[in-house]
Amino acid sequence: MDLIREQPNTDHFERYDGEPMVQSFRVGELGYVWITTAEAMTVPGFGIPWIAGQLARYDADELARAVAGGLRLRAGALVPA
């Protein structure tokens, strides 16, 4: 799976439930995932391996549906955006 960290842009806060500071990653051509920066800082070893581990919970079809509109990640659970 191709995960690419997106550049921070506080102008896109509407895309992230009004959160101005997030860590977002493109998931190939399927969509994107995101987590607030504050919450990401609580995750030991946060980065692409952690993101990939969270997404490994989904089979290919579920993943495509989940990330199409943006999938919010949380330190303890996944929440569709």
Side-chain angles (χ1 to χ4, degrees), residues 2-77:
D2 193 21
L3 293 172
I4 300 168
R5 183 175 238 149
E6 296 181 317
Q7 293 294 318
N9 186 339
T10 58
D11 290 339
H12 293 165
F13 67 92
E14 308 92 16
R15 181 179 177 194
Y16 307 114
D17 295 340
E19 294 285 347
M21 297 298 296
V22 302
Q23 302 296 307
S24 61
F25 297 80
R26 288 185 38 83
V27 182
E29 297 298 319
L30 299 175
Y32 65 96
V33 298
W34 64 279
I35 185 171
T36 66
T37 298
E39 192 163 5
M41 291 175 64
T42 70
V43 176
F46 177 78
I48 288 177
W50 184 83
I51 300 292
Q54 298 301 300
L55 298 180
R57 300 176 183 183
Y58 293 95
D59 69 30
D61 292 333
E62 291 173 324
L63 179 64
R65 285 190 300 274
V67 302
L71 178 65
R72 181 175 185 168
L73 302 176
R74 296 187 187 262

